[in-house]
Amino acid sequence: EDGQIVAEIMARRFFPDLITHKAWEGFHFAGHEIRITEATDCYGAVVWPSALVLCYFLETNSEQCNLVDKNVIEIGAGTGLVSIVASLLGAFVTATDLPELLGNLQHNVLQNTKKKCKHQPCVKELSWGIDLEKNFPRSSCHFDYIMAADVVYHHPFLDELLLTFDHLCKNDTVILWAMKFRLEKENKFVDRFQTLFDLEMISNFPSLNIALYKAMRKGRMKA
């Protein structure tokens, strides 16, 4: 089953027939052809398999996870694929990442959503753990979903990442998080995450070493 579903997920990706001056990859999700411009010299400007796993889940579980008119934020949006798919599925999306990635992120989001979505997504800077209350005040920011794909890897900002999840998540917010397991240090982040959130694995793909999680604040999932 793992191999069959993974093959289906990866079949959503296609490549240009001709080499152009800008590297891009194509994807089929939510009834649209999505073209993503990449930059191979930066982690945040490449589409990683975890993003495809999350996009596939969003598309194939629309009854369980109805995004129409929902307020969604993606952290570490990178090239914007997850944000684009969520937008095409009817959500109002805020795609966030570091300032140096916003240009490419904005290009991809605009190119693939303009006049195609119920709500035009917005792109906003979010450096994990920095100026969270100033830029995303708790009193006025309420997100139905927080989405994250491949945000845990060998970087020194895991504390700030956990702080960001904590700040953005209200009692009824659902976190959808696709994670590729790599090194023990990063894997331990899951244990730390569970000190604040109830965590449920909703999909597992051993051949990709990727798990897809649903999470809510402690004590809320069973209520």
PDB file of all heavy atoms in Angstrom, residues 148-181:
ATOM      1  N   ALA A 148       2.565  22.728   7.705  1.00  0.00           N
ATOM      2  CA  ALA A 148       4.022  22.742   7.672  1.00  0.00           C
ATOM      3  C   ALA A 148       4.513  21.476   6.982  1.00  0.00           C
ATOM      4  O   ALA A 148       4.041  20.383   7.282  1.00  0.00           O
ATOM      5  CB  ALA A 148       4.595  22.822   9.084  1.00  0.00           C
ATOM      6  N   ALA A 149       5.422  21.631   6.045  1.00  0.00           N
ATOM      7  CA  ALA A 149       6.004  20.483   5.341  1.00  0.00           C
ATOM      8  C   ALA A 149       7.525  20.601   5.375  1.00  0.00           C
ATOM      9  O   ALA A 149       8.091  21.585   4.888  1.00  0.00           O
ATOM     10  CB  ALA A 149       5.513  20.435   3.887  1.00  0.00           C
ATOM     11  N   ASP A 150       8.147  19.616   5.987  1.00  0.00           N
ATOM     12  CA  ASP A 150       9.606  19.534   6.037  1.00  0.00           C
ATOM     13  C   ASP A 150      10.244  20.765   6.683  1.00  0.00           C
ATOM     14  O   ASP A 150      11.218  21.319   6.169  1.00  0.00           O
ATOM     15  CB  ASP A 150      10.176  19.327   4.619  1.00  0.00           C
ATOM     16  CG  ASP A 150      11.267  18.257   4.617  1.00  0.00           C
ATOM     17  OD1 ASP A 150      11.622  17.767   5.707  1.00  0.00           O
ATOM     18  OD2 ASP A 150      11.767  17.923   3.544  1.00  0.00           O
ATOM     19  N   VAL A 151       9.701  21.165   7.823  1.00  0.00           N
ATOM     20  CA  VAL A 151      10.281  22.301   8.545  1.00  0.00           C
ATOM     21  C   VAL A 151      11.304  21.852   9.596  1.00  0.00           C
ATOM     22  O   VAL A 151      12.002  22.682  10.175  1.00  0.00           O
ATOM     23  CB  VAL A 151       9.182  23.152   9.221  1.00  0.00           C
ATOM     24  CG1 VAL A 151       8.337  23.850   8.170  1.00  0.00           C
ATOM     25  CG2 VAL A 151       8.315  22.307  10.158  1.00  0.00           C
ATOM     26  N   VAL A 152      11.377  20.541   9.836  1.00  0.00           N
ATOM     27  CA  VAL A 152      12.327  20.017  10.819  1.00  0.00           C
ATOM     28  C   VAL A 152      13.447  19.297  10.079  1.00  0.00           C
ATOM     29  O   VAL A 152      13.238  18.257   9.457  1.00  0.00           O
ATOM     30  CB  VAL A 152      11.639  19.051  11.803  1.00  0.00           C
ATOM     31  CG1 VAL A 152      12.652  18.480  12.792  1.00  0.00           C
ATOM     32  CG2 VAL A 152      10.516  19.769  12.550  1.00  0.00           C
ATOM     33  N   TYR A 153      14.612  19.899  10.112  1.00  0.00           N
ATOM     34  CA  TYR A 153      15.808  19.296   9.512  1.00  0.00           C
ATOM     35  C   TYR A 153      17.006  19.878  10.252  1.00  0.00           C
ATOM     36  O   TYR A 153      16.842  20.459  11.343  1.00  0.00           O
ATOM     37  CB  TYR A 153      15.871  19.576   7.996  1.00  0.00           C
ATOM     38  CG  TYR A 153      15.725  21.029   7.611  1.00  0.00           C
ATOM     39  CD1 TYR A 153      16.834  21.865   7.499  1.00  0.00           C
ATOM     40  CD2 TYR A 153      14.464  21.570   7.373  1.00  0.00           C
ATOM     41  CE1 TYR A 153      16.699  23.202   7.165  1.00  0.00           C
ATOM     42  CE2 TYR A 153      14.318  22.907   7.026  1.00  0.00           C
ATOM     43  CZ  TYR A 153      15.443  23.712   6.926  1.00  0.00           C
ATOM     44  OH  TYR A 153      15.295  25.040   6.597  1.00  0.00           O
ATOM     45  N   HIS A 154      18.200  19.726   9.734  1.00  0.00           N
ATOM     46  CA  HIS A 154      19.398  20.146  10.463  1.00  0.00           C
ATOM     47  C   HIS A 154      19.551  21.667  10.396  1.00  0.00           C
ATOM     48  O   HIS A 154      20.258  22.211   9.552  1.00  0.00           O
ATOM     49  CB  HIS A 154      20.632  19.462   9.889  1.00  0.00           C
ATOM     50  CG  HIS A 154      21.878  19.742  10.684  1.00  0.00           C
ATOM     51  ND1 HIS A 154      22.003  19.406  12.008  1.00  0.00           N
ATOM     52  CD2 HIS A 154      23.047  20.346  10.332  1.00  0.00           C
ATOM     53  CE1 HIS A 154      23.193  19.780  12.450  1.00  0.00           C
ATOM     54  NE2 HIS A 154      23.846  20.355  11.462  1.00  0.00           N
ATOM     55  N   HIS A 155      18.833  22.353  11.284  1.00  0.00           N
ATOM     56  CA  HIS A 155      18.985  23.803  11.410  1.00  0.00           C
ATOM     57  C   HIS A 155      18.950  24.157  12.897  1.00  0.00           C
ATOM     58  O   HIS A 155      18.459  23.376  13.721  1.00  0.00           O
ATOM     59  CB  HIS A 155      17.899  24.562  10.626  1.00  0.00           C
ATOM     60  CG  HIS A 155      16.496  24.301  11.094  1.00  0.00           C
ATOM     61  ND1 HIS A 155      15.995  24.779  12.289  1.00  0.00           N
ATOM     62  CD2 HIS A 155      15.466  23.635  10.517  1.00  0.00           C
ATOM     63  CE1 HIS A 155      14.739  24.413  12.430  1.00  0.00           C
ATOM     64  NE2 HIS A 155      14.388  23.705  11.376  1.00  0.00           N
ATOM     65  N   PRO A 156      19.483  25.323  13.267  1.00  0.00           N
ATOM     66  CA  PRO A 156      19.611  25.663  14.700  1.00  0.00           C
ATOM     67  C   PRO A 156      18.392  26.371  15.276  1.00  0.00           C
ATOM     68  O   PRO A 156      18.489  26.988  16.333  1.00  0.00           O
ATOM     69  CB  PRO A 156      20.830  26.591  14.709  1.00  0.00           C
ATOM     70  CG  PRO A 156      20.769  27.291  13.391  1.00  0.00           C
ATOM     71  CD  PRO A 156      20.210  26.286  12.407  1.00  0.00           C
ATOM     72  N   PHE A 157      17.237  26.278  14.622  1.00  0.00           N
ATOM     73  CA  PHE A 157      16.081  27.070  15.051  1.00  0.00           C
ATOM     74  C   PHE A 157      14.904  26.200  15.499  1.00  0.00           C
ATOM     75  O   PHE A 157      13.748  26.607  15.363  1.00  0.00           O
ATOM     76  CB  PHE A 157      15.650  28.004  13.920  1.00  0.00           C
ATOM     77  CG  PHE A 157      16.745  28.893  13.425  1.00  0.00           C
ATOM     78  CD1 PHE A 157      17.310  28.683  12.168  1.00  0.00           C
ATOM     79  CD2 PHE A 157      17.248  29.921  14.216  1.00  0.00           C
ATOM     80  CE1 PHE A 157      18.336  29.488  11.710  1.00  0.00           C
ATOM     81  CE2 PHE A 157      18.265  30.736  13.773  1.00  0.00           C
ATOM     82  CZ  PHE A 157      18.827  30.527  12.520  1.00  0.00           C
ATOM     83  N   LEU A 158      15.191  25.035  16.038  1.00  0.00           N
ATOM     84  CA  LEU A 158      14.105  24.155  16.467  1.00  0.00           C
ATOM     85  C   LEU A 158      13.350  24.736  17.653  1.00  0.00           C
ATOM     86  O   LEU A 158      12.121  24.585  17.748  1.00  0.00           O
ATOM     87  CB  LEU A 158      14.656  22.768  16.797  1.00  0.00           C
ATOM     88  CG  LEU A 158      15.223  21.982  15.609  1.00  0.00           C
ATOM     89  CD1 LEU A 158      15.818  20.654  16.083  1.00  0.00           C
ATOM     90  CD2 LEU A 158      14.160  21.738  14.545  1.00  0.00           C
ATOM     91  N   ASP A 159      14.046  25.417  18.575  1.00  0.00           N
ATOM     92  CA  ASP A 159      13.359  26.061  19.696  1.00  0.00           C
ATOM     93  C   ASP A 159      12.405  27.128  19.184  1.00  0.00           C
ATOM     94  O   ASP A 159      11.265  27.240  19.650  1.00  0.00           O
ATOM     95  CB  ASP A 159      14.374  26.693  20.657  1.00  0.00           C
ATOM     96  CG  ASP A 159      15.176  25.662  21.428  1.00  0.00           C
ATOM     97  OD1 ASP A 159      14.733  24.496  21.497  1.00  0.00           O
ATOM     98  OD2 ASP A 159      16.247  26.017  21.954  1.00  0.00           O
ATOM     99  N   GLU A 160      12.891  27.911  18.228  1.00  0.00           N
ATOM    100  CA  GLU A 160      12.072  28.983  17.665  1.00  0.00           C
ATOM    101  C   GLU A 160      10.878  28.429  16.877  1.00  0.00           C
ATOM    102  O   GLU A 160       9.793  29.022  16.871  1.00  0.00           O
ATOM    103  CB  GLU A 160      12.923  29.886  16.764  1.00  0.00           C
ATOM    104  CG  GLU A 160      13.949  30.722  17.499  1.00  0.00           C
ATOM    105  CD  GLU A 160      15.235  29.971  17.848  1.00  0.00           C
ATOM    106  OE1 GLU A 160      15.308  28.750  17.568  1.00  0.00           O
ATOM    107  OE2 GLU A 160      16.155  30.593  18.393  1.00  0.00           O
ATOM    108  N   LEU A 161      11.085  27.291  16.242  1.00  0.00           N
ATOM    109  CA  LEU A 161       9.995  26.654  15.505  1.00  0.00           C
ATOM    110  C   LEU A 161       8.893  26.228  16.460  1.00  0.00           C
ATOM    111  O   LEU A 161       7.703  26.470  16.212  1.00  0.00           O
ATOM    112  CB  LEU A 161      10.529  25.448  14.727  1.00  0.00           C
ATOM    113  CG  LEU A 161       9.483  24.584  14.018  1.00  0.00           C
ATOM    114  CD1 LEU A 161       8.685  25.390  12.992  1.00  0.00           C
ATOM    115  CD2 LEU A 161      10.164  23.389  13.340  1.00  0.00           C
ATOM    116  N   LEU A 162       9.260  25.608  17.570  1.00  0.00           N
ATOM    117  CA  LEU A 162       8.265  25.179  18.551  1.00  0.00           C
ATOM    118  C   LEU A 162       7.537  26.383  19.143  1.00  0.00           C
ATOM    119  O   LEU A 162       6.307  26.353  19.324  1.00  0.00           O
ATOM    120  CB  LEU A 162       8.944  24.372  19.660  1.00  0.00           C
ATOM    121  CG  LEU A 162       8.004  23.702  20.666  1.00  0.00           C
ATOM    122  CD1 LEU A 162       7.049  22.739  19.977  1.00  0.00           C
ATOM    123  CD2 LEU A 162       8.806  22.979  21.744  1.00  0.00           C
ATOM    124  N   LEU A 163       8.271  27.452  19.402  1.00  0.00           N
ATOM    125  CA  LEU A 163       7.673  28.678  19.913  1.00  0.00           C
ATOM    126  C   LEU A 163       6.656  29.244  18.920  1.00  0.00           C
ATOM    127  O   LEU A 163       5.592  29.742  19.304  1.00  0.00           O
ATOM    128  CB  LEU A 163       8.773  29.711  20.190  1.00  0.00           C
ATOM    129  CG  LEU A 163       8.340  31.048  20.795  1.00  0.00           C
ATOM    130  CD1 LEU A 163       7.756  30.854  22.184  1.00  0.00           C
ATOM    131  CD2 LEU A 163       9.538  32.009  20.851  1.00  0.00           C
ATOM    132  N   THR A 164       6.974  29.141  17.633  1.00  0.00           N
ATOM    133  CA  THR A 164       6.080  29.651  16.593  1.00  0.00           C
ATOM    134  C   THR A 164       4.794  28.834  16.514  1.00  0.00           C
ATOM    135  O   THR A 164       3.696  29.385  16.425  1.00  0.00           O
ATOM    136  CB  THR A 164       6.808  29.661  15.234  1.00  0.00           C
ATOM    137  OG1 THR A 164       7.975  30.488  15.337  1.00  0.00           O
ATOM    138  CG2 THR A 164       5.920  30.193  14.128  1.00  0.00           C
ATOM    139  N   PHE A 165       4.924  27.518  16.530  1.00  0.00           N
ATOM    140  CA  PHE A 165       3.736  26.662  16.589  1.00  0.00           C
ATOM    141  C   PHE A 165       2.862  27.059  17.781  1.00  0.00           C
ATOM    142  O   PHE A 165       1.641  27.196  17.666  1.00  0.00           O
ATOM    143  CB  PHE A 165       4.137  25.191  16.730  1.00  0.00           C
ATOM    144  CG  PHE A 165       4.407  24.471  15.438  1.00  0.00           C
ATOM    145  CD1 PHE A 165       5.629  23.848  15.207  1.00  0.00           C
ATOM    146  CD2 PHE A 165       3.428  24.379  14.454  1.00  0.00           C
ATOM    147  CE1 PHE A 165       5.865  23.160  14.026  1.00  0.00           C
ATOM    148  CE2 PHE A 165       3.651  23.695  13.270  1.00  0.00           C
ATOM    149  CZ  PHE A 165       4.875  23.089  13.050  1.00  0.00           C
ATOM    150  N   ASP A 166       3.485  27.219  18.931  1.00  0.00           N
ATOM    151  CA  ASP A 166       2.768  27.525  20.157  1.00  0.00           C
ATOM    152  C   ASP A 166       2.048  28.863  20.055  1.00  0.00           C
ATOM    153  O   ASP A 166       0.888  29.000  20.471  1.00  0.00           O
ATOM    154  CB  ASP A 166       3.748  27.532  21.334  1.00  0.00           C
ATOM    155  CG  ASP A 166       3.063  27.766  22.671  1.00  0.00           C
ATOM    156  OD1 ASP A 166       1.979  27.200  22.889  1.00  0.00           O
ATOM    157  OD2 ASP A 166       3.610  28.521  23.489  1.00  0.00           O
ATOM    158  N   HIS A 167       2.698  29.859  19.480  1.00  0.00           N
ATOM    159  CA  HIS A 167       2.110  31.196  19.388  1.00  0.00           C
ATOM    160  C   HIS A 167       0.913  31.222  18.439  1.00  0.00           C
ATOM    161  O   HIS A 167      -0.102  31.868  18.722  1.00  0.00           O
ATOM    162  CB  HIS A 167       3.162  32.198  18.905  1.00  0.00           C
ATOM    163  CG  HIS A 167       2.635  33.587  18.777  1.00  0.00           C
ATOM    164  ND1 HIS A 167       2.557  34.458  19.841  1.00  0.00           N
ATOM    165  CD2 HIS A 167       2.109  34.256  17.703  1.00  0.00           C
ATOM    166  CE1 HIS A 167       2.025  35.598  19.440  1.00  0.00           C
ATOM    167  NE2 HIS A 167       1.750  35.506  18.148  1.00  0.00           N
ATOM    168  N   LEU A 168       1.009  30.537  17.322  1.00  0.00           N
ATOM    169  CA  LEU A 168      -0.018  30.616  16.289  1.00  0.00           C
ATOM    170  C   LEU A 168      -1.226  29.725  16.559  1.00  0.00           C
ATOM    171  O   LEU A 168      -2.290  29.919  15.969  1.00  0.00           O
ATOM    172  CB  LEU A 168       0.579  30.237  14.932  1.00  0.00           C
ATOM    173  CG  LEU A 168       1.671  31.154  14.382  1.00  0.00           C
ATOM    174  CD1 LEU A 168       2.255  30.553  13.098  1.00  0.00           C
ATOM    175  CD2 LEU A 168       1.134  32.556  14.099  1.00  0.00           C
ATOM    176  N   CYS A 169      -1.063  28.747  17.442  1.00  0.00           N
ATOM    177  CA  CYS A 169      -2.084  27.718  17.629  1.00  0.00           C
ATOM    178  C   CYS A 169      -3.056  28.079  18.740  1.00  0.00           C
ATOM    179  O   CYS A 169      -2.676  28.200  19.902  1.00  0.00           O
ATOM    180  CB  CYS A 169      -1.410  26.386  17.941  1.00  0.00           C
ATOM    181  SG  CYS A 169      -2.553  24.994  17.928  1.00  0.00           S
ATOM    182  N   LYS A 170      -4.332  28.238  18.376  1.00  0.00           N
ATOM    183  CA  LYS A 170      -5.394  28.423  19.355  1.00  0.00           C
ATOM    184  C   LYS A 170      -5.921  27.041  19.774  1.00  0.00           C
ATOM    185  O   LYS A 170      -5.502  26.010  19.248  1.00  0.00           O
ATOM    186  CB  LYS A 170      -6.531  29.240  18.744  1.00  0.00           C
ATOM    187  CG  LYS A 170      -6.140  30.675  18.383  1.00  0.00           C
ATOM    188  CD  LYS A 170      -5.974  31.533  19.622  1.00  0.00           C
ATOM    189  CE  LYS A 170      -6.079  33.027  19.305  1.00  0.00           C
ATOM    190  NZ  LYS A 170      -5.034  33.523  18.387  1.00  0.00           N
ATOM    191  N   ASN A 171      -6.878  27.019  20.694  1.00  0.00           N
ATOM    192  CA  ASN A 171      -7.398  25.749  21.200  1.00  0.00           C
ATOM    193  C   ASN A 171      -8.090  24.917  20.129  1.00  0.00           C
ATOM    194  O   ASN A 171      -8.151  23.689  20.228  1.00  0.00           O
ATOM    195  CB  ASN A 171      -8.358  25.989  22.363  1.00  0.00           C
ATOM    196  CG  ASN A 171      -7.625  26.326  23.660  1.00  0.00           C
ATOM    197  OD1 ASN A 171      -6.455  26.001  23.809  1.00  0.00           O
ATOM    198  ND2 ASN A 171      -8.305  26.997  24.564  1.00  0.00           N
ATOM    199  N   ASP A 172      -8.661  25.579  19.121  1.00  0.00           N
ATOM    200  CA  ASP A 172      -9.366  24.828  18.079  1.00  0.00           C
ATOM    201  C   ASP A 172      -8.594  24.780  16.764  1.00  0.00           C
ATOM    202  O   ASP A 172      -9.127  24.338  15.741  1.00  0.00           O
ATOM    203  CB  ASP A 172     -10.757  25.421  17.844  1.00  0.00           C
ATOM    204  CG  ASP A 172     -10.707  26.898  17.462  1.00  0.00           C
ATOM    205  OD1 ASP A 172      -9.620  27.506  17.579  1.00  0.00           O
ATOM    206  OD2 ASP A 172     -11.757  27.440  17.053  1.00  0.00           O
ATOM    207  N   THR A 173      -7.346  25.222  16.764  1.00  0.00           N
ATOM    208  CA  THR A 173      -6.522  25.167  15.557  1.00  0.00           C
ATOM    209  C   THR A 173      -6.023  23.750  15.318  1.00  0.00           C
ATOM    210  O   THR A 173      -5.619  23.059  16.249  1.00  0.00           O
ATOM    211  CB  THR A 173      -5.306  26.114  15.684  1.00  0.00           C
ATOM    212  OG1 THR A 173      -5.768  27.450  15.911  1.00  0.00           O
ATOM    213  CG2 THR A 173      -4.452  26.093  14.418  1.00  0.00           C
ATOM    214  N   VAL A 174      -6.057  23.331  14.068  1.00  0.00           N
ATOM    215  CA  VAL A 174      -5.531  22.023  13.678  1.00  0.00           C
ATOM    216  C   VAL A 174      -4.203  22.222  12.960  1.00  0.00           C
ATOM    217  O   VAL A 174      -4.098  23.040  12.042  1.00  0.00           O
ATOM    218  CB  VAL A 174      -6.510  21.283  12.738  1.00  0.00           C
ATOM    219  CG1 VAL A 174      -5.908  19.977  12.237  1.00  0.00           C
ATOM    220  CG2 VAL A 174      -7.825  21.014  13.465  1.00  0.00           C
ATOM    221  N   ILE A 175      -3.201  21.505  13.394  1.00  0.00           N
ATOM    222  CA  ILE A 175      -1.895  21.522  12.733  1.00  0.00           C
ATOM    223  C   ILE A 175      -1.792  20.295  11.834  1.00  0.00           C
ATOM    224  O   ILE A 175      -2.049  19.168  12.270  1.00  0.00           O
ATOM    225  CB  ILE A 175      -0.748  21.505  13.763  1.00  0.00           C
ATOM    226  CG1 ILE A 175      -0.800  22.751  14.661  1.00  0.00           C
ATOM    227  CG2 ILE A 175       0.611  21.415  13.064  1.00  0.00           C
ATOM    228  CD1 ILE A 175       0.175  22.701  15.829  1.00  0.00           C
ATOM    229  N   LEU A 176      -1.437  20.504  10.579  1.00  0.00           N
ATOM    230  CA  LEU A 176      -1.130  19.417   9.650  1.00  0.00           C
ATOM    231  C   LEU A 176       0.346  19.554   9.285  1.00  0.00           C
ATOM    232  O   LEU A 176       0.759  20.548   8.697  1.00  0.00           O
ATOM    233  CB  LEU A 176      -2.016  19.507   8.403  1.00  0.00           C
ATOM    234  CG  LEU A 176      -3.514  19.268   8.642  1.00  0.00           C
ATOM    235  CD1 LEU A 176      -4.296  19.507   7.352  1.00  0.00           C
ATOM    236  CD2 LEU A 176      -3.766  17.853   9.152  1.00  0.00           C
ATOM    237  N   TRP A 177       1.105  18.527   9.641  1.00  0.00           N
ATOM    238  CA  TRP A 177       2.563  18.628   9.582  1.00  0.00           C
ATOM    239  C   TRP A 177       3.133  17.358   8.953  1.00  0.00           C
ATOM    240  O   TRP A 177       2.943  16.262   9.467  1.00  0.00           O
ATOM    241  CB  TRP A 177       3.077  18.833  11.014  1.00  0.00           C
ATOM    242  CG  TRP A 177       4.531  18.670  11.235  1.00  0.00           C
ATOM    243  CD1 TRP A 177       5.537  18.920  10.347  1.00  0.00           C
ATOM    244  CD2 TRP A 177       5.164  18.226  12.446  1.00  0.00           C
ATOM    245  NE1 TRP A 177       6.761  18.651  10.931  1.00  0.00           N
ATOM    246  CE2 TRP A 177       6.553  18.239  12.204  1.00  0.00           C
ATOM    247  CE3 TRP A 177       4.693  17.835  13.691  1.00  0.00           C
ATOM    248  CZ2 TRP A 177       7.465  17.859  13.186  1.00  0.00           C
ATOM    249  CZ3 TRP A 177       5.592  17.461  14.666  1.00  0.00           C
ATOM    250  CH2 TRP A 177       6.972  17.478  14.412  1.00  0.00           C
ATOM    251  N   ALA A 178       3.792  17.530   7.818  1.00  0.00           N
ATOM    252  CA  ALA A 178       4.478  16.414   7.152  1.00  0.00           C
ATOM    253  C   ALA A 178       5.958  16.492   7.477  1.00  0.00           C
ATOM    254  O   ALA A 178       6.599  17.528   7.265  1.00  0.00           O
ATOM    255  CB  ALA A 178       4.263  16.482   5.639  1.00  0.00           C
ATOM    256  N   MET A 179       6.506  15.395   7.988  1.00  0.00           N
ATOM    257  CA  MET A 179       7.897  15.398   8.467  1.00  0.00           C
ATOM    258  C   MET A 179       8.679  14.237   7.881  1.00  0.00           C
ATOM    259  O   MET A 179       8.222  13.084   7.918  1.00  0.00           O
ATOM    260  CB  MET A 179       7.933  15.321   9.992  1.00  0.00           C
ATOM    261  CG  MET A 179       9.350  15.196  10.539  1.00  0.00           C
ATOM    262  SD  MET A 179       9.413  15.288  12.334  1.00  0.00           S
ATOM    263  CE  MET A 179      11.141  14.877  12.620  1.00  0.00           C
ATOM    264  N   LYS A 180       9.841  14.551   7.372  1.00  0.00           N
ATOM    265  CA  LYS A 180      10.781  13.523   6.935  1.00  0.00           C
ATOM    266  C   LYS A 180      11.774  13.273   8.063  1.00  0.00           C
ATOM    267  O   LYS A 180      12.405  14.206   8.569  1.00  0.00           O
ATOM    268  CB  LYS A 180      11.535  13.964   5.675  1.00  0.00           C
ATOM    269  CG  LYS A 180      12.507  12.901   5.158  1.00  0.00           C
ATOM    270  CD  LYS A 180      13.151  13.348   3.870  1.00  0.00           C
ATOM    271  CE  LYS A 180      14.158  12.314   3.363  1.00  0.00           C
ATOM    272  NZ  LYS A 180      13.508  11.054   2.942  1.00  0.00           N
ATOM    273  N   PHE A 181      11.897  12.027   8.454  1.00  0.00           N
ATOM    274  CA  PHE A 181      12.798  11.672   9.549  1.00  0.00           C
ATOM    275  C   PHE A 181      14.214  11.501   9.020  1.00  0.00           C
ATOM    276  O   PHE A 181      14.443  10.744   8.074  1.00  0.00           O
ATOM    277  CB  PHE A 181      12.311  10.402  10.247  1.00  0.00           C
ATOM    278  CG  PHE A 181      11.080  10.627  11.066  1.00  0.00           C
ATOM    279  CD1 PHE A 181       9.816  10.593  10.480  1.00  0.00           C
ATOM    280  CD2 PHE A 181      11.177  10.916  12.417  1.00  0.00           C
ATOM    281  CE1 PHE A 181       8.682  10.824  11.231  1.00  0.00           C
ATOM    282  CE2 PHE A 181      10.041  11.138  13.182  1.00  0.00           C
ATOM    283  CZ  PHE A 181       8.796  11.100  12.584  1.00  0.00           C
TER     284      PHE A 181
END
